Amino acid sequence: MESDRAILALAALAQSTRLDVFRLLAKHEPEGLPAGDIAKTLAVPQNTMSSHLAILSRAGLVTARRFSRSIVYRADLKAFQSVVLFMLRDCCDGRPEICGPLIEDLTPCCTPKPRRKAYV
């Protein structure tokens, strides 16, 4: 990942509503959520939510797919992983005693829920 791409992703997440959107979508992986449901859940007007989703999409953090009259958004967890790895790649200068505890903290603390049917 290049610095410009990481900056774009981090800037997109540096706003509270967009951060909430990304976290909500991550909770609803892999099925995603329709844009209207995201707006209702977060109590944000639909036109404002549309702008937030466009910014997250341009940053490569969410994907969208049209189903009939709805657009279903999903968190792109691989893109987010790339951002996190970009940030951590050089953090310890090859010294595992520094990065070890950090990486350990990033290990999921719970078992994944059974997957629900995804929108296809």
Side-chain angles (χ1 to χ4, degrees):
M1 170 170 277
E2 295 179 21
S3 292
D4 291 344
R5 196 82 180 137
I7 291 168
L8 188 61
L10 292 169
L13 293 173
Q15 196 277 341
S16 62
T17 301
R18 290 192 293 270
L19 182 60
D20 290 345
V21 168
F22 185 80
R23 293 181 73 202
L24 178 66
L25 290 174
K27 290 177 187 175
H28 285 86
E29 272 300 300
E31 65 277 357
L33 284 173
D37 290 357
I38 299 167
K40 284 178 197 164
T41 299
L42 298 177
V44 174
Q46 288 189 6
N47 59 337
T48 303
M49 182 55 67
S50 178
S51 296
H52 288 304
L53 289 166
I55 291 167
L56 288 167
S57 185
R58 280 192 299 274
L61 294 170
V62 300
T63 59
R65 190 160 179 202
R66 181 173 288 284
F67 291 95
S68 184
R69 292 174 27 143
S70 294
I71 299 176
V72 175
Y73 287 86
R74 293 184 56 203
D76 188 335
L77 298 179
K78 290 285 185 189
F80 183 69
Q81 179 184 29
S82 293
V83 173
V84 172
L85 289 173
F86 173 81
M87 297 297 293
L88 296 176
R89 184 143 292 127
D90 300 320
C91 75
C92 61
D93 197 28
R95 296 172 36 215
E97 70 276 8
I98 295 172
C99 283
L102 176 61
I103 292 168
E104 214 171 275
D105 285 347
L106 293 174
T107 304
C109 62
C110 56
T111 56
K113 293 188 242 179
R115 299 236 183 234
R116 293 176 274 183
K117 185 176 178 184
Y119 291 101
V120 182

